[in-house]
Amino acid sequence: METDQTPLRVALLGCGTVGGAVAQKITRHGDELAARVGRPLELVGIAVRRAGRDRSDLGIDPTLFTTDAEELVTRADIVVEVIGGIDPARGLILRAMEHGASVVSANKALLAEDGPALYAAADAAGVDLYYEAAVAGAIPILRPIHESLAGDEITKVLGIVNGTTNFVLDAMDTTGAGFAETVERAQALGYAEADPTADVEGFDAAAKAAILASLAFHTRVSSADVYRDGITDVTAGDIQAAREMGCVVKLLAICERVEGEGGEPGVSVRVHPAMIPRTHPLASVREAFNAVFVDAAAAGELMFYGQGAGGDPTASAVLGDVVAVARHRVAGGRGPGEIAYADLPVLPMGSAQTRYHISLDVADRPGVLAQVARIFAEHEVSIETVRQQVVPDEDEQARAYLIVVTHTAADAALSATVDALADLETVNEVTSVMRVEGS
Ligand code: NDP
Ligand code: HSE
């Protein structure tokens, strides 16, 4: 039977790190993509901001470039948005859908801020919205959660979803160097941006956590719902303390099904540095790699690992989505849209269950340990281990370091315990506080 071989028109918005790699692959591997889709894909235009920029190294027909993205999106069947940021990306996506195009995006910031509105527009237009590349670059993680695990119940997603911070923390662990020095090295090697704020302050990971939680728990979660602590306060001392405990420090995105104080179901979504045992699978994720650990009721533990950024790796995920939505065009129909029926509340950080590693600089005299222990007891926080190290002091005042690791407790109780410890007259300083996960 003759099938329609009219090319599906693809418009690309953005031709930077990701867009350049996508454009090259569509151009160079057109025949294979056509065979996989069942119809040819034709790149009909590439919108950029700077018209005069030399892009000859990409080997792409220069007549395809335009600065008129508004016009370009009206003449495509599939629009690939790899501009980034909120506006004009949002307006262009909505306009593309209004004109009947399916959309593929890598834009975690936008999806985590306004995902439901984009899904609603996709529904109204009867088109697809796919965004596998928005979380963990090349790693197929969103479709496994959204589709492959749709028959199961996901209870927890624990991920290293930011390559820059993983590179920095890994390098601090390997070299013993401090945070600022390591970020400078990461910038020199091209692993960290000139302005690393979005990565080191945890904004990038928080957006990805919101997307993971929304899909895993069938609930709307936006970036603003995610508790966020970056890695800027992680010191060489914290890394050393983790090492002494047989742990490494990682910036984790943690999405969990939890129960509130009254036993009501909810979700906890948070991004913060945490110590994890060196035996945990996520501890072996080195340099700028990403990994996501999923726990599901029937499937058990699953781990997804790979490159979380870079032109070619991210283009792989983008093109996977392009082929998927193109196949839907050929066959008729759409992929799954937003599934938010569970509508679980996002519970505050205070109700998250975690463990703390606390280092205290204390006076070394009778009764101090008892005072410290009393504070933990008053807050109903159970101590798992205590280690004391006497510090030779130049002022000839007897001092000691106390290192306390707690059992699991509500974050609010742990945090109040730390505040009360800091107020004790015998505590010179709370030198480090870090959550402990994965054990
Ligand atoms: P770049 O900054 O490298 O590229 C952005 C592109 O968008 C450039 O080509 C730029 O044009 C174009 N652009 C910017 N503003 C406009 C506008 N108003 N109209 C038309 N074009 C515009 O970004 P990346 O490729 O790194 O990232 C793109 C997206 O992919 C982001 O959402 C990012 O979060 C996501 N992503 C990126 C990863 C990575 O490794 N880089 C990994 C995973 C996701 P010009 O070239 O003229 O400046
Ligand atoms: N800046 C991100 C990271 C890559 O360091 O992982 C894009 O998601």
Side-chain angles (χ1 to χ4, degrees), residues 12-20 46-53 55 65-69 81-85 87-89 92 105-110 133-138 193 204 208 308-315 318:
L12 186 58
L13 308 182
C15 195
T17 305
V18 180
I46 306 174
V48 292
R49 187 176 35 190
R50 293 168 290 176
R53 190 173 176 194
R55 303 174 203 265
F65 292 101
T66 174
T67 53
D68 193 350
E81 184 276 307
V82 280
I83 290 176
D87 291 311
L92 290 168
S105 174
N107 193 335
K108 73 223 86 168
L110 178 58
V135 178
E193 307 248 352
D204 176 80
K208 293 167 178 170
D312 279 348
T314 310
V318 170

Side-chain angles (χ1 to χ4, degrees), residues 256-307:
E256 280 178 300
R257 238 174 232 279
V258 287
E259 286 187 353
E261 278 177 21
E264 73 282 10
V267 296
S268 165
V269 191
R270 49 204 170 98
V271 166
H272 55 72
M275 294 182 184
I276 54 169
R278 283 184 188 266
T279 49
H280 191 281
L282 288 180
S284 62
V285 178
R286 305 282 314 274
E287 300 179 337
F289 279 84
N290 283 195
V292 183
F293 193 78
V294 178
D295 210 342
E301 294 176 343
L302 303 162
M303 177 131 151
F304 302 79
Y305 170 86
Q307 299 195 60

Side-chain angles (χ1 to χ4, degrees), residues 131-181:
Y131 47 91
E132 181 64 70
V135 178
I139 306 175
I141 182 64
L142 299 190
R143 259 188 280 158
I145 288 177
H146 200 37
E147 299 183 33
S148 317
L149 290 166
D152 206 335
E153 186 186 0
I154 295 175
T155 50
K156 184 166 185 171
V157 180
L158 186 66
I160 295 171
V161 291
N162 183 270
T164 305
T165 47
N166 202 54
F167 181 88
V168 169
L169 293 171
D170 184 43
M172 285 173 76
D173 182 52
T174 314
T175 64
F179 172 76
E181 183 188 334

Side-chain angles (χ1 to χ4, degrees), residues 72-119:
L72 177 60
V73 299
T74 65
R75 53 182 173 91
D77 301 300
I78 298 167
V79 168
V80 179
E81 184 276 307
V82 280
I83 290 176
I86 306 301
D87 291 311
R90 171 168 40 199
L92 290 168
I93 288 176
L94 293 174
R95 185 171 164 83
M97 289 173 172
E98 277 164 22
H99 283 82
S102 287
V103 169
V104 171
S105 174
N107 193 335
K108 73 223 86 168
L110 178 58
L111 264 305
E113 176 165 312
D114 221 6
L118 299 180
Y119 268 126

Side-chain angles (χ1 to χ4, degrees), residues 100 221 224 298 330 366 404 415:
V221 181
V330 170
V404 182
S415 168

